[in-house]
Amino acid sequence: MSELFVDAARDWIAERRAVGRTISAETAKAYRGDIASWQRYLEAQTGAPIRVQDLTSPVIKAALAEMNNAGLAPASRRRLVTTLRGLCRYLVLESRLPTDPTAAIQAPRAPARLPVAFTDGQISALLETANTEDSQARPAAPLLDIAIVLILAAGGLRASEAAGLRALDYRPGDEPSLRVVGKGRKARTVPLDPGVAAQIDTYLPWRAERLPEQSDSSPLLIRPDGRALTRDTISYRVNRLYARAGIAKPEGEAAHALRHTYAVSMVDVGVPISEVQQLLGHESIATTGIYLKASAAHLRAASAAPSAARLLASKLT
């Protein structure tokens, strides 16, 4: 009896989420989205529900060609190939596929693109906007918006990492910091500028009013109604700030440009790339290395700027 592609993919994702090989809910969601894309393009080639036995190199290459014709970016196609490769390797190990049909398929090369880093003027405008009430918000929450901007731009967190912060992850005091759980459930400590920590301290009473039953495991960032923020709600609020501040939305995830700004600022002021790697939670230093090029471009475009933390904190004093 032939096995459906979607059923095999469901088993693979479940196996990836099993004990000892845990992936986050966001990663599992991304895998499911990639599998749905593959199902659509593969079935366009076979004309029938795709089965595991239909996973051959010619069919996969034809589907990739159709993705290219449809205008999918090289980076998107590269991610899709990576996902399918992971599934096929699992099926081979499980003896559900005789050979890996992706072994001879090269993933499209994504063009080199420098990370977008905001200028001092843009960061100042963003912070000033966050510090004013949004007339269209019901209700407005400037203290929350300020905390979001600070954590992303002065802490370098991913939006998903910020959404995952718990109360005990914020450590105030003489050496304030955030404990961040990143990709692969790996934890790291991100030091905070005292001025940034002071603004988070200002946000906490607002949070306490809306979250009467608190514990160390309660979310650090919450909506005005007391519910935890998600990556999507953080992206929505950041997009609103961009629009209100008159800043063009950068490509990709809205909040990620603030993380890029943090990284470039760190390189600008001379932080060793190996330390920037640790602060960002990158697995490979090669990933962090692109900020060396971005920093050079940033310095050519404008004079050396103070770090994001100092700039942001100064605008709120």
Side-chain angles (χ1 to χ4, degrees), residues 4-6 37-51 59 63:
L4 288 177
F5 170 74
V6 290
S37 294
W38 273 115
Q39 182 182 7
R40 185 168 64 254
Y41 281 99
L42 289 169
E43 289 181 352
Q45 304 304 314
T46 63
I50 188 74
R51 301 165 299 173
V59 171

Side-chain angles (χ1 to χ4, degrees), residues 14-301:
E15 194 268 350
R16 290 297 311 273
R17 298 208 70 184
V19 176
R21 304 190 65 182
T22 304
I23 59 173
S24 69
E26 291 294 341
T27 299
K29 180 180 178 182
Y31 281 156
R32 286 192 289 270
D34 289 347
I35 293 299
S37 294
W38 273 115
Q39 182 182 7
R40 185 168 64 254
Y41 281 99
L42 289 169
E43 289 181 352
Q45 304 304 314
T46 63
I50 188 74
R51 301 165 299 173
V52 168
Q53 66 194 64
D54 298 323
L55 294 175
T56 63
S57 291
V59 171
I60 293 171
K61 288 178 179 178
L64 275 172
E66 188 59 34
M67 291 177 187
N68 183 48
N69 294 337
L72 265 68
S76 297
R77 286 181 279 132
R78 185 179 185 85
R79 188 197 69 246
L80 285 164
V81 169
T82 299
T83 298
L84 186 63
R85 201 187 306 280
L87 169 60
C88 289
R89 287 173 177 171
Y90 161 77
L91 293 174
V92 171
L93 288 173
E94 293 284 307
S95 300
R96 294 154 75 172
L97 197 61
T99 59
D100 181 359
T102 67
I105 293 178
Q106 287 190 332
R109 295 185 63 180
R113 187 173 61 189
L114 295 181
V116 173
F118 291 127
T119 65
D120 282 1
Q122 289 173 317
I123 289 294
S124 296
L126 191 64
L127 187 65
E128 289 170 0
T129 300
N131 201 30
T132 59
E133 292 194 358
D134 184 350
S135 60
Q136 296 184 19
R138 296 291 183 272
L143 289 176
L144 171 61
D145 288 336
I146 291 168
I148 290 173
V149 172
L150 288 171
I151 287 172
L152 297 176
L157 274 67
R158 302 175 178 93
S160 58
E161 293 172 344
L165 288 173
R166 302 294 141 184
L168 80 168
D169 293 327
Y170 172 54
R171 299 164 180 174
D174 294 337
E175 297 181 354
S177 65
L178 288 171
R179 177 185 177 274
V180 182
V181 178
K183 290 185 176 180
R185 306 301 298 170
K186 292 184 178 179
R188 67 186 189 275
T189 297
V190 176
L192 295 176
D193 181 271
V196 171
Q199 294 302 323
I200 296 177
D201 291 340
T202 302
Y203 154 79
L204 291 179
W206 178 92
R207 171 183 176 275
E209 292 176 1
R210 289 155 181 80
L211 199 65
E213 296 183 6
Q214 300 186 52
S215 69
D216 286 347
S217 61
S218 298
L220 180 63
L221 296 175
I222 63 169
R223 307 182 196 192
D225 62 7
R227 290 183 293 163
L229 283 186
T230 65
R231 185 182 72 173
D232 289 342
T233 52
I234 288 175
S235 294
Y236 170 79
R237 298 193 79 89
V238 171
N239 271 324
R240 283 287 304 153
L241 290 173
Y242 288 156
R244 292 170 57 210
I247 298 173
K249 179 186 176 298
E251 291 185 19
E253 185 179 296
H256 219 62
L258 296 173
R259 173 174 161 89
H260 292 326
T261 301
Y262 168 83
V264 170
S265 292
M266 293 296 100
V267 175
D268 281 354
V269 298
V271 178
I273 196 69
S274 58
E275 294 183 17
V276 177
Q277 176 193 5
Q278 293 177 23
L279 291 169
L280 294 175
H282 283 160
E283 184 73 23
S284 169
I285 199 168
T287 306
T288 318
I290 195 170
Y291 290 110
L292 291 171
K293 298 178 181 179
S295 179
H298 191 251
L299 291 171
R300 284 194 299 269

